[in-house]
Amino acid sequence: MEPLAMLDLEAWNLGSYTFYVLPFLFLFLLLVVRLDGLGSNIWTLQSCPIDLTGKTAVVTGANSGIGKAVSCELARRGARVVLACRNLSQGQKALSDIQKATGSKELLLREVDLSSLASIYNFSQKLLQEEPHIHLLVNNAGATGLPPRKLTSDGLELTFVTNYLGHFLLTNLLLKGLHRAGSARVVNVTSFRQQYGFVDEQHLVGAGHHLTSSSSYDCSKLMLISFTVELARRLQGTGVTSNSVEPGIVKTEIMKNYHWLFRLIFWFLSIFFRTPEQGAVPVLYLCIAEELDGISGKFFNSKCMLALPAKPAQDSQVTHSLWNTSARLTNLEKWTKKE
C-alpha cells in the first residue's frame, strides 16, 4: 500500500474513533452513571452508632479513594486501623490526613505489595505479632489499566494477582488473627464490572483467551466474589464472616493507568460520580452494620442491598475449583507451614 494511502487510512481510523466511538462511549458511561445514581442507600452512617474502640481493622489500599475514606470512618469510631499500602509515602500522607480529621492515635502504616507473595507473607507475619486479634479485614486495593498478560516474578498475571490472588493469600494468612478475635468480618470490595466477567483459571498465569486491560479487571473482580463465597463456606461456625460489595461508580484514581483520553473522559464525567466518602458507605455497611452479624457468603450492591453476582460466582463447582487452583498458584500450603 502506498504511504499516502496508509496515512489516509490511519486518519480515517482516528477520525472514525473520535467521531463515532467516543460519543457512544460517552453516552454509555453517562447512562451507567445516571442509573447508579437512582435511588439511595438503604443504610446510613448516622443510623449506626456502633463504637469500635478496642477493635482492630486492616484496610488494603488505604492511601487514597475508598480505602482512605473507610479507614477514616473506622478510626473516627475508635478502631485501631492498619493502613496496608504499597506506597509508603502516599500512605504516610493518608495517615496524617486521617489523624487530622479524627484525632485518632490508633493508626498504623504498614507496607504490602499485593502483587508479591513474599511481601504479603512478610506483612502478615509481622502484623500478627503486633496485632494478634484482627476484627475486620477490608480487601479494598485494586488496579485496572495494567498491561495484559504481564507476569510477576511469581509467574502470576499482574492484574489478577493484584486484584484477587493477593487478597486470597493475605486473607488466608491472617485467618489466625481473625479466628482469635472470636467474631470477625472479611469484606471484599469488588465492582459492578464483575457482571461482565467470567472465570477462566488460565488467566491467573497469563494464559487462556486474550483479555484487554479492562476485561482482566472485570474477571478479577468476579473471582474476588467467587473467593468470598467459598471462604464463607469454609468458615461456617467459626464466627468469621465473609461478604463482598460493589461501591458504585466512584471518583478515585482507578483510571491512572489508562490513556490520557480515557482519563479525560473519566474526569469530565466525574461530576456525576460518587465521592470516595459516598462510595465508602456500602463498604462500611458490611464492616459495621449490626444487622449483618452472622451473615456470610453474600454479595451486596451499591445501595446496601442483597444482590446476585454473575453466574460463575453462584456455581459451587466453580468456586471450589478456583479456590484449589488459587491455593496451588500462591503456594498457600508452603506459606502456612512456615508459621
Side-chain angles (χ1 to χ4, degrees), residues 228-247:
T228 305
V229 175
E230 183 65 15
L231 178 64
R233 186 186 70 79
R234 292 168 181 257
L235 291 175
Q236 286 180 3
T238 66
V240 182
T241 62
S242 167
N243 292 294
S244 59
V245 61
E246 61 100 353

Side-chain angles (χ1 to χ4, degrees), residues 205-338:
V205 291
H209 179 72
H210 181 73
L211 296 176
T212 64
S213 297
S214 295
S215 54
S216 294
Y217 177 80
D218 302 344
C219 294
S220 68
K221 286 298 187 178
L222 177 59
M223 287 184 178
L224 191 61
I225 300 176
S226 176
F227 163 57
T228 305
V229 175
E230 183 65 15
L231 178 64
R233 186 186 70 79
R234 292 168 181 257
L235 291 175
Q236 286 180 3
T238 66
V240 182
T241 62
S242 167
N243 292 294
S244 59
V245 61
E246 61 100 353
I249 305 176
V250 184
K251 183 180 180 181
T252 66
E253 298 177 3
I254 191 71
M255 296 294 288
K256 65 182 180 182
N257 296 311
Y258 279 92
H259 186 274
W260 68 266
L261 190 57
F262 290 99
R263 296 201 307 272
L264 180 63
I265 295 172
F266 186 82
W267 176 83
F268 184 79
L269 287 174
S270 64
I271 59 173
F272 301 105
F273 295 173
R274 296 181 177 202
T275 64
E277 289 71 26
Q278 292 170 328
V281 171
V283 180
L284 288 162
Y285 175 62
L286 267 62
C287 291
I288 63 177
E290 293 180 294
E291 60 264 35
L292 294 185
D293 283 347
I295 301 298
S296 194
K298 305 301 182 184
F299 169 68
F300 292 80
N301 64 21
S302 60
K303 306 295 189 301
C304 304
M305 298 172 62
L306 273 171
L308 287 176
K311 288 186 178 180
Q314 302 176 46
D315 188 328
S316 59
Q317 290 186 333
V318 172
T319 62
H320 182 72
S321 176
L322 180 61
W323 178 287
N324 289 338
T325 299
S326 301
R328 175 175 56 82
L329 292 177
T330 58
N331 295 307
L332 180 59
E333 186 176 356
K334 180 192 79 170
W335 297 117
T336 51
K337 277 184 177 179
K338 286 185 178 182

Side-chain angles (χ1 to χ4, degrees), residues 34-68:
R34 291 299 297 270
L35 289 175
D36 179 66
L38 292 177
S40 58
N41 295 328
I42 63 169
W43 180 86
T44 63
L45 292 173
Q46 293 73 24
S47 67
C48 181
I50 190 168
D51 181 81
L52 299 176
T53 302
K55 307 290 186 181
T56 297
V58 180
V59 183
T60 67
N63 58 285
S64 65
I66 294 173
K68 181 179 177 181

Side-chain angles (χ1 to χ4, degrees), residues 102-124:
T102 66
S104 174
K105 296 181 180 179
E106 294 292 320
L107 295 169
L108 295 175
L109 174 62
R110 296 295 180 265
E111 182 179 19
V112 60
D113 180 356
L114 289 166
S115 69
S116 166
L117 302 186
S119 176
I120 295 168
Y121 176 77
N122 291 333
F123 166 82
S124 302

Side-chain angles (χ1 to χ4, degrees), residues 81-151:
V81 184
V82 180
L83 311 181
C85 305
R86 182 178 62 85
N87 188 312
L88 285 182
S89 62
Q90 292 181 10
Q92 184 58 56
K93 184 181 184 307
L95 186 147
S96 298
D97 291 343
I98 295 172
Q99 280 183 330
K100 195 174 298 181
T102 66
S104 174
K105 296 181 180 179
E106 294 292 320
L107 295 169
L108 295 175
L109 174 62
R110 296 295 180 265
E111 182 179 19
V112 60
D113 180 356
L114 289 166
S115 69
S116 166
L117 302 186
S119 176
I120 295 168
Y121 176 77
N122 291 333
F123 166 82
S124 302
Q125 296 313 296
K126 292 177 183 176
L127 181 63
L128 288 174
Q129 291 175 3
E130 293 179 297
E131 305 294 331
H133 300 86
I134 298 173
H135 303 84
L136 176 63
L137 171 61
V138 183
N139 289 318
N140 162 77
T144 185
L146 300 174
R149 291 184 182 269
K150 182 176 182 180
L151 299 183

